[in-house]
Amino acid sequence: MDSIQLYYQQLDSTSTNKQKILAIKELSKAMYYRRTASYYLAILNYNKALEKLDTNDSLAYYAYSGIGMTNKNLGIFPNALKNFQLALDNSEYRKDTNHIASIYAALSQLYFEKNDIKKSKGEIEKVFKLLEHQPKSKPYLVALHTLANIEGSSGNFEKALELDYKGLALIGDNPNDVSKASFQDNMARCYLYLYKDYDKAEYFFKENLKIDKQINNTTWIADTYINLAEVETERGQFEQAQNYLQEAINIFSKNNELINVLKAYNVLTELYVRKGDYKMALSAKKEYSKQYENYINAVSEQSFVEFNTVYETEKKEKALANTKLKLAKETAVSKQKNFWLIVLGSLIFISLIIAASIRKNAALKHKQLQLEKQLIQ
């Protein structure tokens, strides 16, 4: 994230009037804000990028799909669907198969979250058909993972495991570790809760921990610690489970990820209940309530800051636009005044020429009469 921030700041400091470059600046900011969960600021910058682009531009795809993903994360599904459709129209116009499949995969996730399994499976089938000969591509793997989630949530754990193993086989030695982690996470949960095979569950969670540490994603590291704590709790190894949970709480607290702190305290409460230590369970529950209050306050404050930033930004842009409009009107009025002054000056000049011409003609006429008079005499 620090690299993304560095690059978009460097982009922002460059001076240019080229609309595409300006759009890339806004897209870079939007990506940073979306990844840091500042969703309203992300939407603001995605829309700014769209103002500078044609609807069929390849860059517009990233704006539409970004707004769609952001709204999906916010749970605003109608806006997510609308922008996914715009991204789909854009990619179909450009005949970009990979982007078309990516949107179908995103839609499959969205419908799964809405618990509309029929539509989710329909989008997955579209991905499989479109990328029939590219099963190792990211959209295909996302769709396959979503299908495994559907089977698992429906109680078809054997089918879910079969799909997860298929996903791992497709990835193989491919360095696409993020996809690998998602499949292994599913597999570990199947072994933990269905088969009660704690050794296999621990194995796959620890394989994920290696990936988490390799890419240095502290959030994922802490999340995997929680998963390992659940395994140890099921085994009855409460001390080891508590150690894992404390590691997770320390990481989440340091990163100020309060929503994940809540998850850790919830698992810790369950651990003490299973252990029969109800005094500590009550203490963990009280800490959960305290952290929940902190989380609500933090979310409210963050939303207020984001909305205020959006409001102030739009206010400044509106004021700037009004100033430009005022200057344009003043310039127009000034030009109009200058035009009429030129017209008036021209009329006066022409009038003077005509008057001089009349006087000259009168003088010539008078002289002619004088000459005629002299001739008669």
Side-chain angles (χ1 to χ4, degrees), residues 336-352:
Q336 194 173 26
K337 284 180 179 178
N338 291 338
F339 171 75
W340 287 115
L341 283 172
I342 291 167
V343 170
L344 182 61
S346 299
L347 288 172
I348 292 170
F349 181 69
I350 292 167
S351 298
L352 289 172

PDB file of all heavy atoms in Angstrom, residues 336-352:
ATOM      1  N   GLN A 336     -17.961  42.028 -25.619  1.00  0.00           N
ATOM      2  CA  GLN A 336     -19.155  42.632 -26.239  1.00  0.00           C
ATOM      3  C   GLN A 336     -19.041  44.158 -26.229  1.00  0.00           C
ATOM      4  O   GLN A 336     -19.358  44.833 -27.215  1.00  0.00           O
ATOM      5  CB  GLN A 336     -20.406  42.187 -25.480  1.00  0.00           C
ATOM      6  CG  GLN A 336     -21.705  42.473 -26.229  1.00  0.00           C
ATOM      7  CD  GLN A 336     -22.900  41.876 -25.532  1.00  0.00           C
ATOM      8  OE1 GLN A 336     -22.875  41.676 -24.328  1.00  0.00           O
ATOM      9  NE2 GLN A 336     -23.952  41.598 -26.285  1.00  0.00           N
ATOM     10  N   LYS A 337     -18.544  44.681 -25.089  1.00  0.00           N
ATOM     11  CA  LYS A 337     -18.352  46.141 -24.988  1.00  0.00           C
ATOM     12  C   LYS A 337     -17.338  46.601 -26.031  1.00  0.00           C
ATOM     13  O   LYS A 337     -17.545  47.612 -26.716  1.00  0.00           O
ATOM     14  CB  LYS A 337     -17.861  46.516 -23.580  1.00  0.00           C
ATOM     15  CG  LYS A 337     -18.960  46.478 -22.516  1.00  0.00           C
ATOM     16  CD  LYS A 337     -18.382  46.860 -21.165  1.00  0.00           C
ATOM     17  CE  LYS A 337     -19.447  46.853 -20.083  1.00  0.00           C
ATOM     18  NZ  LYS A 337     -18.873  47.168 -18.746  1.00  0.00           N
ATOM     19  N   ASN A 338     -16.234  45.849 -26.092  1.00  0.00           N
ATOM     20  CA  ASN A 338     -15.207  46.207 -27.082  1.00  0.00           C
ATOM     21  C   ASN A 338     -15.757  46.169 -28.506  1.00  0.00           C
ATOM     22  O   ASN A 338     -15.428  47.012 -29.340  1.00  0.00           O
ATOM     23  CB  ASN A 338     -14.020  45.251 -26.963  1.00  0.00           C
ATOM     24  CG  ASN A 338     -13.249  45.451 -25.674  1.00  0.00           C
ATOM     25  OD1 ASN A 338     -13.327  46.532 -25.071  1.00  0.00           O
ATOM     26  ND2 ASN A 338     -12.531  44.438 -25.245  1.00  0.00           N
ATOM     27  N   PHE A 339     -16.612  45.166 -28.762  1.00  0.00           N
ATOM     28  CA  PHE A 339     -17.208  45.034 -30.091  1.00  0.00           C
ATOM     29  C   PHE A 339     -18.036  46.258 -30.431  1.00  0.00           C
ATOM     30  O   PHE A 339     -17.916  46.846 -31.525  1.00  0.00           O
ATOM     31  CB  PHE A 339     -18.079  43.768 -30.131  1.00  0.00           C
ATOM     32  CG  PHE A 339     -18.906  43.651 -31.379  1.00  0.00           C
ATOM     33  CD1 PHE A 339     -18.320  43.284 -32.587  1.00  0.00           C
ATOM     34  CD2 PHE A 339     -20.264  43.942 -31.358  1.00  0.00           C
ATOM     35  CE1 PHE A 339     -19.090  43.187 -33.739  1.00  0.00           C
ATOM     36  CE2 PHE A 339     -21.037  43.849 -32.500  1.00  0.00           C
ATOM     37  CZ  PHE A 339     -20.442  43.468 -33.697  1.00  0.00           C
ATOM     38  N   TRP A 340     -18.910  46.688 -29.485  1.00  0.00           N
ATOM     39  CA  TRP A 340     -19.766  47.849 -29.745  1.00  0.00           C
ATOM     40  C   TRP A 340     -18.964  49.144 -29.839  1.00  0.00           C
ATOM     41  O   TRP A 340     -19.324  50.056 -30.598  1.00  0.00           O
ATOM     42  CB  TRP A 340     -20.857  47.977 -28.677  1.00  0.00           C
ATOM     43  CG  TRP A 340     -21.922  46.919 -28.833  1.00  0.00           C
ATOM     44  CD1 TRP A 340     -22.226  45.906 -27.986  1.00  0.00           C
ATOM     45  CD2 TRP A 340     -22.803  46.779 -29.961  1.00  0.00           C
ATOM     46  NE1 TRP A 340     -23.225  45.128 -28.486  1.00  0.00           N
ATOM     47  CE2 TRP A 340     -23.615  45.647 -29.713  1.00  0.00           C
ATOM     48  CE3 TRP A 340     -22.974  47.481 -31.163  1.00  0.00           C
ATOM     49  CZ2 TRP A 340     -24.595  45.219 -30.593  1.00  0.00           C
ATOM     50  CZ3 TRP A 340     -23.960  47.043 -32.042  1.00  0.00           C
ATOM     51  CH2 TRP A 340     -24.756  45.936 -31.769  1.00  0.00           C
ATOM     52  N   LEU A 341     -17.872  49.230 -29.058  1.00  0.00           N
ATOM     53  CA  LEU A 341     -17.005  50.414 -29.150  1.00  0.00           C
ATOM     54  C   LEU A 341     -16.355  50.483 -30.527  1.00  0.00           C
ATOM     55  O   LEU A 341     -16.253  51.565 -31.127  1.00  0.00           O
ATOM     56  CB  LEU A 341     -15.916  50.356 -28.065  1.00  0.00           C
ATOM     57  CG  LEU A 341     -16.365  50.733 -26.638  1.00  0.00           C
ATOM     58  CD1 LEU A 341     -15.257  50.437 -25.644  1.00  0.00           C
ATOM     59  CD2 LEU A 341     -16.758  52.219 -26.576  1.00  0.00           C
ATOM     60  N   ILE A 342     -15.947  49.284 -31.018  1.00  0.00           N
ATOM     61  CA  ILE A 342     -15.352  49.235 -32.359  1.00  0.00           C
ATOM     62  C   ILE A 342     -16.384  49.624 -33.409  1.00  0.00           C
ATOM     63  O   ILE A 342     -16.105  50.393 -34.347  1.00  0.00           O
ATOM     64  CB  ILE A 342     -14.780  47.828 -32.643  1.00  0.00           C
ATOM     65  CG1 ILE A 342     -13.545  47.566 -31.753  1.00  0.00           C
ATOM     66  CG2 ILE A 342     -14.407  47.665 -34.105  1.00  0.00           C
ATOM     67  CD1 ILE A 342     -13.095  46.131 -31.729  1.00  0.00           C
ATOM     68  N   VAL A 343     -17.603  49.082 -33.233  1.00  0.00           N
ATOM     69  CA  VAL A 343     -18.687  49.406 -34.173  1.00  0.00           C
ATOM     70  C   VAL A 343     -18.981  50.899 -34.155  1.00  0.00           C
ATOM     71  O   VAL A 343     -19.092  51.554 -35.210  1.00  0.00           O
ATOM     72  CB  VAL A 343     -19.966  48.603 -33.831  1.00  0.00           C
ATOM     73  CG1 VAL A 343     -21.156  49.114 -34.643  1.00  0.00           C
ATOM     74  CG2 VAL A 343     -19.739  47.120 -34.100  1.00  0.00           C
ATOM     75  N   LEU A 344     -19.087  51.463 -32.923  1.00  0.00           N
ATOM     76  CA  LEU A 344     -19.388  52.898 -32.788  1.00  0.00           C
ATOM     77  C   LEU A 344     -18.265  53.728 -33.391  1.00  0.00           C
ATOM     78  O   LEU A 344     -18.507  54.705 -34.136  1.00  0.00           O
ATOM     79  CB  LEU A 344     -19.572  53.248 -31.302  1.00  0.00           C
ATOM     80  CG  LEU A 344     -19.947  54.684 -30.981  1.00  0.00           C
ATOM     81  CD1 LEU A 344     -21.284  55.061 -31.625  1.00  0.00           C
ATOM     82  CD2 LEU A 344     -20.016  54.904 -29.471  1.00  0.00           C
ATOM     83  N   GLY A 345     -17.019  53.325 -33.075  1.00  0.00           N
ATOM     84  CA  GLY A 345     -15.873  54.051 -33.631  1.00  0.00           C
ATOM     85  C   GLY A 345     -15.854  53.988 -35.148  1.00  0.00           C
ATOM     86  O   GLY A 345     -15.564  54.992 -35.820  1.00  0.00           O
ATOM     87  N   SER A 346     -16.191  52.799 -35.657  1.00  0.00           N
ATOM     88  CA  SER A 346     -16.233  52.633 -37.116  1.00  0.00           C
ATOM     89  C   SER A 346     -17.298  53.524 -37.740  1.00  0.00           C
ATOM     90  O   SER A 346     -17.072  54.138 -38.797  1.00  0.00           O
ATOM     91  CB  SER A 346     -16.511  51.164 -37.456  1.00  0.00           C
ATOM     92  OG  SER A 346     -15.479  50.339 -36.950  1.00  0.00           O
ATOM     93  N   LEU A 347     -18.476  53.584 -37.090  1.00  0.00           N
ATOM     94  CA  LEU A 347     -19.571  54.419 -37.596  1.00  0.00           C
ATOM     95  C   LEU A 347     -19.183  55.889 -37.612  1.00  0.00           C
ATOM     96  O   LEU A 347     -19.454  56.622 -38.570  1.00  0.00           O
ATOM     97  CB  LEU A 347     -20.835  54.207 -36.754  1.00  0.00           C
ATOM     98  CG  LEU A 347     -21.553  52.864 -36.955  1.00  0.00           C
ATOM     99  CD1 LEU A 347     -22.672  52.708 -35.934  1.00  0.00           C
ATOM    100  CD2 LEU A 347     -22.121  52.774 -38.377  1.00  0.00           C
ATOM    101  N   ILE A 348     -18.526  56.312 -36.512  1.00  0.00           N
ATOM    102  CA  ILE A 348     -18.086  57.727 -36.433  1.00  0.00           C
ATOM    103  C   ILE A 348     -17.073  58.006 -37.531  1.00  0.00           C
ATOM    104  O   ILE A 348     -17.131  59.044 -38.223  1.00  0.00           O
ATOM    105  CB  ILE A 348     -17.485  58.032 -35.034  1.00  0.00           C
ATOM    106  CG1 ILE A 348     -18.607  57.978 -33.977  1.00  0.00           C
ATOM    107  CG2 ILE A 348     -16.797  59.393 -35.031  1.00  0.00           C
ATOM    108  CD1 ILE A 348     -18.090  58.029 -32.547  1.00  0.00           C
ATOM    109  N   PHE A 349     -16.119  57.071 -37.695  1.00  0.00           N
ATOM    110  CA  PHE A 349     -15.082  57.240 -38.717  1.00  0.00           C
ATOM    111  C   PHE A 349     -15.702  57.321 -40.110  1.00  0.00           C
ATOM    112  O   PHE A 349     -15.359  58.188 -40.917  1.00  0.00           O
ATOM    113  CB  PHE A 349     -14.090  56.073 -38.633  1.00  0.00           C
ATOM    114  CG  PHE A 349     -12.979  56.150 -39.626  1.00  0.00           C
ATOM    115  CD1 PHE A 349     -11.984  57.130 -39.515  1.00  0.00           C
ATOM    116  CD2 PHE A 349     -12.916  55.276 -40.701  1.00  0.00           C
ATOM    117  CE1 PHE A 349     -10.954  57.221 -40.445  1.00  0.00           C
ATOM    118  CE2 PHE A 349     -11.894  55.344 -41.624  1.00  0.00           C
ATOM    119  CZ  PHE A 349     -10.904  56.317 -41.489  1.00  0.00           C
ATOM    120  N   ILE A 350     -16.650  56.417 -40.387  1.00  0.00           N
ATOM    121  CA  ILE A 350     -17.337  56.415 -41.694  1.00  0.00           C
ATOM    122  C   ILE A 350     -18.124  57.708 -41.890  1.00  0.00           C
ATOM    123  O   ILE A 350     -18.129  58.302 -42.977  1.00  0.00           O
ATOM    124  CB  ILE A 350     -18.258  55.183 -41.809  1.00  0.00           C
ATOM    125  CG1 ILE A 350     -17.397  53.892 -41.887  1.00  0.00           C
ATOM    126  CG2 ILE A 350     -19.154  55.274 -43.036  1.00  0.00           C
ATOM    127  CD1 ILE A 350     -18.169  52.614 -41.686  1.00  0.00           C
ATOM    128  N   SER A 351     -18.778  58.171 -40.788  1.00  0.00           N
ATOM    129  CA  SER A 351     -19.570  59.421 -40.852  1.00  0.00           C
ATOM    130  C   SER A 351     -18.680  60.604 -41.183  1.00  0.00           C
ATOM    131  O   SER A 351     -19.044  61.487 -41.986  1.00  0.00           O
ATOM    132  CB  SER A 351     -20.283  59.657 -39.519  1.00  0.00           C
ATOM    133  OG  SER A 351     -21.189  58.614 -39.248  1.00  0.00           O
ATOM    134  N   LEU A 352     -17.492  60.612 -40.555  1.00  0.00           N
ATOM    135  CA  LEU A 352     -16.549  61.708 -40.809  1.00  0.00           C
ATOM    136  C   LEU A 352     -16.090  61.689 -42.273  1.00  0.00           C
ATOM    137  O   LEU A 352     -15.949  62.732 -42.912  1.00  0.00           O
ATOM    138  CB  LEU A 352     -15.349  61.599 -39.866  1.00  0.00           C
ATOM    139  CG  LEU A 352     -15.636  61.929 -38.388  1.00  0.00           C
ATOM    140  CD1 LEU A 352     -14.427  61.599 -37.514  1.00  0.00           C
ATOM    141  CD2 LEU A 352     -15.992  63.433 -38.231  1.00  0.00           C
TER     142      LEU A 352
END
